[in-house]
Amino acid sequence: MKREQIFEFFRRLAELNPSPETELEFGNHFQLLVAVVLSAQSTDVGVNKATRALFREVKTPEQMVALGEDGLKEHIKTIGLFNSKARNVIALSAILVRDHGGEVPADRDALTALPGVGRKTANVVLNCAFGAETFAVDTHIFRVGNRTGLAKGKTPLAVEKQLEKKVPQPFRVGAHHWLILHGRYICKARTPECWRCPVVDLCAFKDKVLQKGGKAKA
């Protein structure tokens, strides 16, 4: 995808959704961090169902530590991998209290040093909490980047590097939200809904599904 096409790609997505946001529900930076950690290999819908009651009770890392691992498990037992996630959330909460004054650091290295926090999670937190120009490449962004020709790469990091290089202003802060939402609701994994895609003419995908009810080629 050429530079002019990339600008037009994001211009159209921005026109349709001027203020894109994560679909995770949270009330502060700490709750955002917890929600993103819990969302690994889980849906945002499932995480939100589990955290609504939790976040009414727990708003700080101090309160999370006080809740304890068993107490946290009761809240998140409907989420996949809840045992390891509970262990990580309690551990990272203790580190935030001990080393960061109970605050979420605005630094990728400090974030990825926390248990259960990888590069993707750190990028989401930096973007959503601090407005950083980061690109959190999940399965949706990886698919959209490769399928459309926007940012091709064999690994999430390779796609992230392409996005860092190619995404222009003024779209850099919102880009990963637009791409996630596009992949979640239109450019779906099994059958992309190209027939209602606002950027279909810019997309390099050869097997477009241009009719509602059509099937993608295997």
Side-chain angles (χ1 to χ4, degrees):
M1 198 179 291
K2 296 178 180 178
R3 184 169 59 181
E4 297 80 6
Q5 292 175 308
I6 293 172
F7 188 93
E8 180 63 13
F9 181 97
F10 284 108
R11 188 199 67 76
R12 292 184 197 177
L13 296 182
E15 186 175 42
L16 292 170
N17 184 5
S19 302
E21 297 178 344
T22 178
E23 293 186 316
L24 290 170
E25 297 172 2
F26 62 95
N28 59 37
H29 293 174
F30 172 66
Q31 290 181 343
L32 168 65
L33 173 60
V34 171
V36 180
V37 169
L38 295 179
S39 72
Q41 299 181 49
S42 302
T43 66
D44 288 0
V45 171
V47 172
N48 289 337
K49 286 181 179 178
T51 58
R52 282 176 192 138
L54 172 66
F55 288 166
R56 285 195 294 269
E57 181 180 346
V58 175
K59 296 177 172 60
T60 68
E62 291 87 351
Q63 291 172 337
M64 187 67 78
V65 172
L67 177 65
E69 193 172 323
D70 290 339
L72 177 56
K73 285 180 183 178
E74 282 301 307
H75 282 282
I76 67 169
K77 58 188 177 183
T78 57
I79 300 175
L81 307 175
F82 73 93
N83 284 311
S84 61
K85 289 177 180 178
R87 186 164 57 250
N88 285 333
V89 168
I90 296 300
L92 72 82
S93 299
I95 292 171
L96 290 178
V97 173
R98 185 191 71 201
D99 297 341
H100 300 285
E103 299 294 327
V104 175
D107 177 81
R108 183 186 281 121
D109 290 340
L111 285 168
T112 55
L114 298 171
V117 179
R119 185 179 180 90
K120 182 182 74 174
T121 295
N123 281 344
V124 173
V125 172
L126 290 170
N127 180 273
C128 296
F130 304 107
E133 296 176 358
T134 56
F135 305 92
V137 179
D138 67 350
T139 55
H140 296 300
I141 293 183
F142 185 78
R143 178 176 67 256
V144 172
N146 277 287
R147 181 184 275 168
T148 63
L150 170 68
K152 299 178 78 71
K154 293 184 178 180
T155 65
L157 183 59
V159 171
E160 179 185 339
K161 294 298 185 184
Q162 285 293 305
L163 291 170
E164 286 180 351
K165 180 180 178 181
K166 292 182 176 181
V167 177
Q169 295 291 8
F171 308 116
R172 293 179 67 83
V173 172
H176 103 263
H177 293 299
W178 285 310
L179 293 173
I180 287 173
L181 295 171
H182 191 65
R184 186 172 288 166
Y185 296 112
I186 296 179
C187 196
K188 299 176 182 179
R190 292 189 178 180
T191 305
E193 298 180 2
C194 310
W195 51 270
R196 67 183 189 95
C197 175
V199 292
V200 64
D201 58 309
L202 303 173
C203 172
F205 186 48
K206 293 181 180 179
D207 299 320
K208 294 184 175 75
V209 181
L210 297 174
Q211 291 185 335
K212 186 175 181 179
K215 299 293 183 182
K217 294 182 180 180

